[in-house]
Amino acid sequence: IIFGPSQPTCERMGRISVWRMGVVAYQDAMLAMEKMAILRAADDEEDALLVCAHPPTFTLGKRARREHVKLSEEELAAHGIGVFQVPRGGQVTYHGPGQAVLYPVVSLRALQVGARRWIEGLEDTMVETSRAFGVNAHGRVPGASGAWVGNRKIG
């Protein structure tokens, strides 16, 4: 079971703690990640990976505008879909039930890895994982980050 029990559990895997959080509201996952990041930055916490899923949610990155979500406020409310402006790059991202979401909280300084190389490593991991499941994914799309199948972004 990818998401684990309804109560969060923590398992130590080498140098990282893996927190299986189950289905958790987007804003609650962000609060947990922010608290862990503060502790990690102060060296009061080890590296962690939060594994969860979210109820239907749209997140709007720095280049997104509300009109990019093609549902009215009434339609969003009727379907229980949350919309959140977030401080990451990019445009609109949908998160929903059954979609695994992984939030790494790591010290890049301790790993001696720069931000660009870290992102590229995450992209490579998504591509390799997709291929292991028979999905012909690729990365390194000029001007865009993520993992892709054809011209569609999958992560």
Side-chain angles (χ1 to χ4, degrees):
I1 299 173
I2 192 166
F3 302 119
S6 59
Q7 292 296 314
T9 63
C10 181
E11 176 183 349
R12 183 100 172 107
M13 300 183 89
R15 296 177 8 137
I16 191 165
S17 294
V18 178
W19 290 85
R20 290 178 175 82
M21 301 174 67
V23 178
V24 60
Y26 178 80
Q27 60 271 38
D28 293 339
M30 290 303 96
L31 283 173
M33 186 172 63
E34 289 168 5
K35 288 179 183 178
M36 288 185 134
I38 290 168
L39 293 171
R40 183 64 188 104
D43 262 346
D44 290 337
E45 182 65 62
E46 58 197 0
D47 289 342
L49 180 65
L50 309 181
V51 181
C52 65
H54 297 305
T57 303
F58 286 109
T59 57
L60 309 180
K62 292 178 181 176
R63 294 183 303 176
R65 295 190 309 269
R66 172 57 185 89
E67 58 266 20
H68 292 151
V69 176
K70 302 299 182 191
L71 298 172
S72 69
E73 294 298 328
E74 294 77 22
E75 291 170 310
L76 291 166
H79 295 288
I81 302 172
V83 178
F84 299 92
Q85 191 73 45
V86 297
R88 61 158 171 76
Q91 295 197 14
V92 177
T93 300
Y94 174 77
H95 304 282
Q99 177 189 39
V101 181
L102 290 82
Y103 295 110
V105 180
V106 300
S107 170
L108 297 183
R109 185 176 297 117
L111 294 172
Q112 298 180 340
V113 174
R116 172 85 311 236
R117 182 63 207 127
W118 173 258
I119 296 298
E120 289 172 351
L122 292 175
E123 292 170 348
D124 292 345
T125 300
M126 286 187 286
V127 167
E128 291 170 23
T129 302
S130 298
R131 288 182 179 164
F133 285 93
V135 176
N136 188 19
H138 64 279
R140 307 293 188 281
V141 173
S145 61
W148 301 78
V149 174
N151 64 353
R152 300 188 72 159
K153 187 172 183 179
I154 61 170

